[in-house]
Amino acid sequence: MKLDMALKEMGRQSESYSGGGDGEIVDFYGFSSSSEEEEELFVPPLNFSMVDVGVFRSGFPDVANFGFLETLKLRSILYLCPEPYPEANMGFLEENGIRLFQFGMEGGKEPFVSIPDDTIREALKVVLDVRNHPLLIHCKRGKHRTGCVVGCLRKLQRWCLSSIFDEYQRFAAAKARVSDQRFMELFDVSSLKHLQSSLIFWKR
């Protein structure tokens, strides 16, 4: 009998909290929601990750990712593919005052892939300049070209090779290339060390 009375009371309370009209529902705990108001969900680009303060990496962003990218307050995008940047992406950059740096590198498969040392070096100069931060580095999938740039940056940060390779393989997964890892191992950072004073990573 007591259980029946308790259930009836809960039913009356539930009814007193529901309603409000126009699709609004107030639940038992007093939180209201509306079927007409849906909160925007942010969608990061493929393989998105933070490299360090003010520097991010990802695969190619599309329109669905623009809302998320706005939250990063980007100043620059470092694009590592040779193809022209899509019109929709260029529009997004213009609307948000984001500068595009393009260093086109072919993304062919081994053994025909050739990683241009000079291009990586010039791309790193953009990354090292904190005036370009916050900055997003991306290629097509955020694996090989982006992985090589980040890997060479890690050498400047004095990471050991095993840690550099672990990070590269985490993004490249089954597509990891021996040639990429060999390139990172042999890459000479001595010509970039004079720029490290402007790099935020060294100011800790």
Side-chain angles (χ1 to χ4, degrees), residues 72-84:
L72 302 179
K73 308 296 183 184
L74 296 173
R75 285 186 184 174
S76 312
I77 283 183
L78 181 63
Y79 174 47
L80 302 175
C81 302
E83 296 81 13

Side-chain angles (χ1 to χ4, degrees), residues 42-50 56-72 74 77 85 89 92 136-142 171:
F42 296 123
V43 183
L46 176 71
N47 272 334
F48 176 83
S49 183
M50 186 176 185
F56 307 93
R57 62 178 291 169
S58 75
F60 209 113
D62 59 27
V63 175
N65 309 131
F66 289 172
F68 174 80
L69 294 183
E70 286 180 354
T71 68
L72 302 179
L74 296 173
I77 283 183
Y85 219 46
N89 293 62
F92 172 76
L136 173 68
I137 307 168
H138 82 80
C139 51
K140 186 176 181 181
R141 299 289 183 183
F171 291 93

Side-chain angles (χ1 to χ4, degrees), residues 52-202:
D52 214 306
V53 177
V55 180
F56 307 93
R57 62 178 291 169
S58 75
F60 209 113
D62 59 27
V63 175
N65 309 131
F66 289 172
F68 174 80
L69 294 183
E70 286 180 354
T71 68
L72 302 179
K73 308 296 183 184
L74 296 173
R75 285 186 184 174
S76 312
I77 283 183
L78 181 63
Y79 174 47
L80 302 175
C81 302
E83 296 81 13
Y85 219 46
E87 184 176 343
N89 293 62
M90 285 302 300
F92 172 76
L93 267 56
E94 292 170 2
E95 291 173 5
N96 291 274
I98 301 172
R99 184 177 180 182
L100 177 67
F101 294 92
Q102 183 172 3
F103 295 93
M105 293 186 284
E106 296 294 336
K109 298 180 180 180
E110 291 183 299
F112 307 106
V113 64
S114 176
I115 304 171
D117 186 280
D118 290 343
T119 303
I120 294 285
R121 204 172 300 278
E122 291 302 311
L124 282 172
K125 290 179 182 178
V126 173
V127 178
L128 293 171
D129 190 343
V130 294
R131 293 173 296 181
N132 298 323
H133 297 180
L135 173 143
L136 173 68
I137 307 168
H138 82 80
C139 51
K140 186 176 181 181
R141 299 289 183 183
K143 295 181 178 181
H144 305 112
R145 287 166 282 195
T146 298
C148 285
V149 170
V150 172
C152 292
L153 176 64
R154 296 307 192 195
K155 289 194 74 172
L156 265 174
Q157 294 179 283
R158 302 192 186 100
W159 280 33
C160 65
L161 280 176
S162 61
S163 295
I164 293 173
F165 293 163
D166 283 347
E167 182 180 42
Y168 168 82
Q169 291 165 3
R170 189 163 67 250
F171 291 93
K175 301 291 185 179
R177 296 172 178 168
V178 174
S179 59
D180 287 352
Q181 295 172 85
R182 182 66 171 166
F183 175 84
M184 290 183 278
E185 180 180 1
L186 299 177
F187 185 77
D188 182 10
V189 298
S190 60
S191 65
L192 296 169
K193 286 185 176 179
H194 69 285
L195 298 173
Q196 69 188 38
S197 61
S198 67
L199 182 62
I200 195 170
F201 313 119
W202 299 92

Side-chain angles (χ1 to χ4, degrees), residues 24-59:
E24 184 178 1
I25 298 174
V26 181
D27 65 17
F28 184 77
Y29 298 99
F31 296 106
S32 64
S33 62
S34 173
S35 58
E36 297 178 358
E37 297 180 3
E38 293 185 4
E39 187 175 356
E40 180 183 3
L41 297 179
F42 296 123
V43 183
L46 176 71
N47 272 334
F48 176 83
S49 183
M50 186 176 185
V51 177
D52 214 306
V53 177
V55 180
F56 307 93
R57 62 178 291 169
S58 75

